[in-house]
Amino acid sequence: MGQWTSAMGAAQLARLLKSQQDRPAGPGTRRPPAYRALADGIRLLVLEGRVPVAARLPAERELALALSVSRTTVAAAYEALRTEGFLESRRGAGSWTAVPAGNPLPARGLEPLPPEALGSMIDLGCAALPAPEPWLTRAVQGALEELPPYAHTHGDYPAGLPALRSMIADRYTARGIPTMPEQVMVTTGAMGAIDAICHLFAGRGERIAVESPSYANILQLMREAGARLVPVAMAEGLTGWDLDRWRQVLRDAAPRIAYIVADFHNPTGALAGEDQRRQLVEAARSAGTVLIADETMSELWLDEGLDDRTMPRPVCAFDPAGSSVITVGSASKAFWAGMRIGWVRAAPDVIRSLVAARAYADLGTPVVEQLAVNWLFNTGGWEQAVEIRRGQARENRDALVAAVRRELPEWEFEVPRGGLTLWVRTGGLSGSRLAEAGERVGVRVPSGPRFGVDGAFEGYVRLPFTVGGAVADEAAVRLAAAAKLVEAGASGGGETPRTFVA
């Protein structure tokens, strides 16, 4: 790396480091020297992508003041990082982060594990399941049968195929929320939808209120768009939102938009009640804040007693015109991650603005995939495929819960009634160090700070319902082995993992 490309302030780096240092030490943990602990903390931040590669670090004196340590401690930590290949320096240019030769650059989201690594690594990083066959194959075959008329056109539909827009609108209407096709735009996945909304409503430097914790990839998308994230703590356990905190943040910070997941929240699995939804919409309307309601998990109920009749009404039901709530849906979670079809429901003028801005982004969403989703909606295949998905997730959830309780009884969590994720408190162990140690023992797990702002949730990991049976048992055994490494201090001595995964 020839030069730094961004800068990390002393106060910001100190906050990230403090979130690690404040966690209670596990039993029997060896406390390293102060310089070694500092070097290890910075190294973990680089490996997790929370401090970018090629980021200029603060001067030794500045960081020493921010951390209330001696300049000698910081100088020794920087020298250790240079020796290990995690820091480069040049006289007059300062010091900037790096990765040792041969290590892949760290990503900053939760990307799927490369296929070539699946044989030796259990992947608990990506909350996605295999396709619910035979419905994927049938949907693609149905799409190909419908394709010929579209093949004679230019193929660009910035708002989405009219047939699919109409079908999505009809599905909202059937749920009790009258919707016109003019209120719908089809996007390339939910990420594409939220990216477009953020660029339209929240320019660089604008405040966005987010649940704390929240979905890691969305948080990173917003950071890279230049937004100023305002975290709002979730209520304890699976009880949903803390409305008093939301009202205070909306009143005091006046964020332009707020991002929420009311249905089987990612990562906690919480399900917000109808009264919570109504009150939040009222608070947002009073504050002039636009709510982005992510309902990609809304059909993944797993417990008895939950179905499309007993689930709380969508957030947009309390703002049917779409003036205060913009709803985002997707086929990726409920059906298959490889089906990159999402959609936005909003007021017609918002949809027109999103469509107009799309000319400078991705122009449109692939036609064949849109036809496949439309085929599923039209034939009843969607409901049958999602029922298969629920069965897979339910079995995996129950197997993973049993395995973790058996192998790691000191870890704490509540079992969600739906969704794809388990949010686990790790008994005082560092989630970042568990993620690193997991690489050595063959299990990939994302640490809690990925789902927070400025280093929050160091004592958590997220476990998705992507493995079951004997694989879930083995995953828990490997997590227990990683926990023992962390307890013994084995992950704090500067050794780097074999492979980095985000």
Side-chain angles (χ1 to χ4, degrees):
M1 189 72 66
Q3 181 62 299
W4 55 273
T5 57
S6 62
M8 175 68 62
Q12 183 182 8
L13 181 57
R15 284 197 302 272
L16 292 172
L17 291 165
K18 189 173 186 296
S19 70
Q20 300 173 339
Q21 296 165 356
D22 281 350
R23 297 303 306 167
T29 301
R30 298 195 303 270
R31 293 190 177 274
Y35 85 90
R36 181 65 261 172
L38 176 56
D40 183 47
I42 294 174
R43 179 174 60 88
L44 283 170
L45 292 173
V46 172
L47 286 173
E48 284 214 315
R50 289 191 284 145
V51 170
V53 175
R56 186 179 186 272
L57 295 187
E60 295 170 0
R61 187 185 302 277
E62 294 174 356
L63 186 57
L65 287 172
L67 293 173
S68 299
V69 299
S70 71
R71 183 177 176 181
T72 302
T73 296
V74 178
Y78 278 13
E79 181 57 34
L81 290 168
R82 276 189 288 269
T83 300
E84 295 161 9
F86 285 93
L87 198 67
E88 295 182 9
S89 303
R90 181 178 299 148
R91 186 178 297 277
S95 299
W96 56 92
T97 56
V99 293
N103 279 45
L105 290 176
R108 304 190 73 186
L110 301 177
E111 291 76 19
L113 192 65
E116 62 270 17
L118 291 175
S120 59
M121 186 76 66
I122 297 177
D123 185 9
L124 296 180
C126 185
L129 289 162
E133 288 287 33
W135 293 106
L136 173 62
T137 299
R138 292 181 183 177
V140 173
Q141 290 171 342
L144 293 177
E145 292 174 2
E146 299 290 333
L147 182 61
Y150 295 93
H152 294 293
T153 73
H154 50 64
D156 287 334
Y157 297 88
L161 294 184
L164 181 55
R165 295 177 71 196
S166 180
M167 178 59 66
I168 292 170
D170 289 346
R171 289 174 66 84
Y172 277 108
T173 300
R175 295 165 71 187
I177 308 147
T179 302
M180 304 177 294
E182 292 79 9
Q183 290 179 263
V184 175
M185 181 177 83
V186 181
T187 63
T188 307
M191 291 287 288
I194 294 169
D195 183 55
I197 295 166
C198 288
H199 279 90
L200 180 64
F201 283 92
R204 186 165 292 275
E206 290 273 8
R207 294 185 181 92
I208 300 178
V210 295
E211 296 151 329
S212 184
S214 187
Y215 179 36
N217 285 343
I218 293 296
L219 295 181
Q220 191 56 37
L221 181 155
M222 292 174 173
R223 290 187 189 102
E224 294 184 358
R228 297 164 60 190
L229 301 184
V230 182
V232 187
M234 295 286 289
E236 286 296 317
L238 298 176
T239 54
W241 300 316
D242 185 325
L243 270 302
D244 289 338
R245 289 176 178 171
W246 270 104
R247 292 189 189 95
Q248 180 180 356
V249 167
L250 294 176
R251 182 181 64 247
D252 296 345
R256 184 69 183 89
I257 59 178
Y259 171 73
I260 58 171
V261 185
D263 302 292
F264 310 120
H265 174 263
N266 186 354
T268 67
L271 177 64
E274 278 207 10
D275 193 49
Q276 290 178 313
R277 298 171 191 232
R278 180 186 297 104
Q279 290 186 54
L280 185 56
V281 171
E282 291 171 354
R285 186 181 294 119
S286 297
T289 297
V290 175
L291 290 178
I292 305 175
D294 183 338
E295 60 173 27
T296 54
M297 297 278 194
S298 64
E299 295 185 71
L300 291 177
W301 58 79
L302 305 181
D303 279 3
E304 290 185 8
L306 285 180
D307 55 34
D308 54 3
R309 297 182 303 276
T310 58
M311 281 283 291
R313 283 180 291 170
V315 176
C316 62
F318 305 100
D319 177 53
S323 59
S324 296
V325 177
I326 298 177
T327 302
V328 172
S330 171
S332 297
K333 293 297 185 185
F335 184 75
W336 184 47
M339 188 67 77
R340 304 304 304 159
I341 299 296
W343 52 86
V344 178
R345 182 201 179 275
D349 61 319
V350 172
I351 295 298
R352 286 193 294 270
S353 297
L354 289 170
V355 172
R358 194 171 196 180
Y360 309 102
D362 64 354
L363 294 178
T365 301
V367 170
V368 174
E369 283 87 338
Q370 292 188 71
L371 289 172
V373 172
N374 195 55
W375 183 92
L376 288 165
F377 286 157
N378 261 319
T379 62
W382 176 267
E383 285 72 22
Q384 296 184 64
V386 173
E387 187 57 38
I388 292 173
R389 170 66 77 241
R390 293 190 195 107
Q392 292 172 323
R394 185 182 302 112
E395 290 180 6
N396 289 354
R397 179 196 64 178
D398 295 347
L400 186 65
V401 164
V404 172
R405 282 177 171 164
R406 181 177 63 251
E407 299 295 336
L408 292 151
E410 68 278 12
W411 286 16
E412 301 173 19
F413 54 85
E414 291 188 41
V415 182
R417 303 185 69 192
L420 290 173
T421 57
L422 195 66
W423 186 236
V424 181
R425 191 191 302 266
T426 55
L429 299 179
S430 161
S432 299
R433 287 169 171 79
L434 279 166
E436 186 187 18
E439 293 290 327
R440 298 199 189 99
V441 298
V443 60
R444 176 189 187 236
V445 58
S447 66
R450 286 199 173 275
F451 304 88
V453 177
D454 281 342
F457 306 110
E458 185 62 58
Y460 289 81
V461 294
R462 189 196 73 172
L463 305 180
F465 310 144
T466 52
V467 296
V471 180
D473 292 339
E474 179 61 22
V477 168
R478 295 185 187 187
L479 285 171
K484 289 179 180 177
L485 286 176
V486 176
E487 288 172 353
S491 63
E495 180 186 347
T496 60
R498 292 190 300 257
T499 308
F500 176 82
V501 229

